[in-house]
Amino acid sequence: DIQMTQSPSSLSVSVGDRVTITCRASQGISSYLAWFQQKPGKAPKSLIYAASTLQSGVPSKFSGSGSGTDFTLTIDSLQPEDFATYYCQQYYSYPITFGQGTRLEIK
Amino acid sequence: EVQLLESGGGLVQPGGSLRLSCEDSGFTFDSYAMSWVRQAPGKGLEWVSTISDSGSGTYYADSVKGRFTISRDNSKNTIYLQISSLRVEDTAVYYCVDHRYCHGGRCSTGFWGQGTLLTVAS
């Protein structure tokens, strides 16, 4: 199974900050990497697929990069609605696996 | 807008069985693979099972293999998850998702349902 490791597990940031979350795969997954946002008590929302392609309706403040084993999600100019938990996921092979999540908290 | 609506969750005793359903309000349901993803209380996301667009291919997490069965009825725009031999550790919110964003022969998740809570307890 491919292990997905996110860092950090949590991050305390201020409104207006730029934040970068890292996701590392235990083996190469090309660009078969997705990012999701989940707010408390809500279903996850898809943000990015193919490592860097924004899903329809996702604001351009979100961006993704990487290929192979190392990936990043960057969020520019954090707003209160962006404070949530973010997950990466590989869909290169079964079993599909998620990172453990990165929780963004307001400083 | 596409809506995925799960149903069938509830309180079940260990060893019991249950069937979850997920209906897709969209018009292209039979074009997408579909999956179930679960989230135990306070925990992260865990992929459970995927079914291909035609239903001919199915995949399972090791933790549910032999106990869970995924199926779909494209005439009803619905997927199902038949769950048996339930364990306390199966307690989770179960989400259905579609795989509508395809590239290089693989497809990523698009829409998520709102989830249905399954609680396994005596």
Side-chain angles (χ1 to χ4, degrees):
Chain A
D1 299 3
I2 298 174
Q3 308 302 317
M4 306 300 293
T5 304
Q6 286 181 237
S7 60
S9 296
S10 64
L11 197 53
S12 183
V13 293
S14 300
V15 172
D17 283 354
R18 182 181 200 229
V19 64
T20 297
I21 299 168
T22 298
C23 179
R24 175 164 289 174
S26 61
Q27 64 188 75
I29 59 170
S30 185
S31 62
Y32 299 107
L33 189 284
W35 289 98
F36 306 97
Q37 176 194 64
Q38 186 177 34
K39 297 180 181 179
K42 301 293 186 182
K45 174 187 175 183
S46 300
L47 296 176
I48 288 170
Y49 69 98
S52 61
T53 303
L54 261 60
Q55 298 220 2
S56 177
V58 175
S60 59
K61 63 188 300 181
F62 293 93
S63 62
S65 66
S67 181
T69 60
D70 294 315
F71 303 86
T72 60
L73 171 70
T74 299
I75 312 170
D76 288 326
S77 186
L78 276 165
Q79 297 303 303
E81 62 268 22
D82 301 324
F83 289 88
T85 300
Y86 293 84
Y87 294 92
C88 64
Q89 178 214 58
Q90 68 81 19
Y91 52 99
Y92 175 76
S93 68
Y94 292 104
I96 293 171
T97 47
F98 290 88
Q100 80 278 16
T102 296
R103 183 179 177 187
L104 294 188
E105 300 173 329
I106 299 177
K107 185 182 291 182
Chain B
E1 180 174 294
V2 171
Q3 282 194 333
L4 300 174
L5 187 61
E6 302 96 337
S7 60
L11 175 62
V12 183
Q13 292 187 336
S17 299
L18 194 72
R19 189 179 78 163
L20 305 181
S21 303
C22 171
E23 183 175 358
D24 182 350
S25 65
F27 296 102
T28 53
F29 175 78
D30 58 1
S31 299
Y32 309 132
M34 300 286 294
S35 290
W36 289 96
V37 174
R38 69 183 180 183
Q39 186 171 37
K43 302 297 184 181
L45 300 170
E46 179 189 15
W47 170 78
V48 172
S49 181
T50 297
I51 187 165
S52 64
D53 52 3
S54 66
S56 61
T58 57
Y59 308 86
Y60 298 94
D62 284 346
S63 58
V64 307
K65 201 172 294 182
R67 301 188 299 120
F68 289 18
T69 302
I70 192 171
S71 61
R72 67 190 295 161
D73 184 340
N74 286 346
S75 68
K76 295 181 179 179
N77 279 20
T78 301
I79 65 166
Y80 305 97
L81 189 67
Q82 181 68 45
I83 304 174
S84 61
S85 302
L86 276 162
R87 305 169 180 169
V88 170
E89 55 265 33
D90 294 321
T91 295
V93 175
Y94 285 73
Y95 298 101
C96 73
V97 304
D98 67 32
H99 293 271
R100 62 178 54 224
Y101 296 111
C102 299
H103 63 103
R106 294 164 174 83
C107 299
S108 184
T109 302
F111 289 97
W112 294 68
Q114 87 291 344
T116 187
L117 175 62
L118 169 61
T119 302
V120 184
S122 54

